[in-house]
Amino acid sequence: MKRKLTFLGTVLPIILLTDVLTKRWAEAALEGAPRPDFLGGYVPLTLAHNTGAAFGISVGNDSRWFFIPVSLLALGLMVALLVRAHDRDHLRLAALSLVIAGALGNLIDRVRWDRGVVDFIGPIDLGITHWPIFNVADMAISCGAVMLALSFWQEERALKRAREEAPADGASEAMPAPEPTEG
């Protein structure tokens, strides 16, 4: 459990602090200002308040009261996965720590006001489409989700390999012994 708390205790404050500070900066620097470019013009900075889900998907008016309990439920699930994770599964521990930190970062915005989550990075022109505007918490959630999927995939591969390497007589051990007959 100590290793799990170390991962979470390291990642959570870094992501949360970075998220809160960059959102405050964006609100102060980008409100009504022309869109400054970041990284040589490849990444514009645009202040936006997202009241919907990921990628601005709307679930109706005042979706804040939908997303707060959903976020709390998701956080509970992530904490449960963290508690159940193996201490040596560093990828899963890092992934869950990132997702938890990012979810908390966006939850703070939803709780503090009804304007929505502060987004400010993007939109990024990918040539065929534009990547939506996002923030540091979104990056943590996205990276953590990819890492978590990779961790589950690695676990599944290891379990499959273990089943394939099990001794051939292992199948007979799994079958119940026949009932003794009277006679």
Side-chain angles (χ1 to χ4, degrees):
M1 188 60 146
K2 184 177 178 182
R3 188 170 289 167
K4 296 173 187 180
L5 292 175
T6 300
F7 269 91
L8 188 61
T10 302
V11 171
L12 186 87
I14 292 170
I15 297 299
L16 269 181
L17 187 61
T18 304
D19 185 58
V20 168
L21 291 177
T22 57
K23 286 174 178 176
R24 284 191 181 171
W25 170 84
E27 289 180 302
L30 302 175
E31 184 74 49
R35 289 178 22 176
D37 287 330
F38 182 63
L39 296 176
Y42 292 106
V43 181
L45 300 176
T46 309
L47 182 63
H49 295 92
N50 181 3
T51 57
F55 304 108
I57 297 169
S58 178
V59 293
N61 293 336
D62 206 14
S63 59
R64 168 186 189 200
W65 300 114
F66 171 78
F67 285 115
I68 289 174
V70 167
S71 296
L72 291 171
L73 184 64
L75 279 166
L77 175 63
M78 293 301 116
V79 169
L81 286 172
L82 184 68
V83 168
R84 294 187 58 185
H86 194 282
D87 277 354
R88 291 193 184 107
D89 191 347
H90 297 145
L91 181 62
R92 187 165 301 175
L93 297 179
L96 289 166
S97 297
L98 283 169
V99 172
I100 290 168
L104 280 172
N106 284 338
L107 180 61
I108 288 170
D109 283 355
R110 293 197 190 280
V111 168
R112 77 180 175 130
W113 62 9
D114 61 357
R115 291 172 64 187
V117 174
V118 176
D119 290 332
F120 61 94
I121 305 168
I124 300 173
D125 185 357
L126 300 176
I128 57 172
T129 189
H130 283 82
W131 191 260
I133 304 170
F134 57 96
N135 60 42
V136 171
D138 296 338
M139 289 187 288
I141 292 168
S142 298
C143 291
V146 169
M147 292 166 58
L148 188 58
L150 182 58
S151 171
F152 284 133
W153 178 69
Q154 287 177 335
E155 179 182 51
E156 182 61 32
R157 281 185 53 204
L159 289 172
K160 183 178 178 184
R161 196 170 30 245
R163 284 191 299 265
E164 290 170 354
E165 293 173 0
D169 63 341
S172 63
E173 293 174 13
M175 295 181 63
E179 297 273 330
T181 58
E182 294 181 23

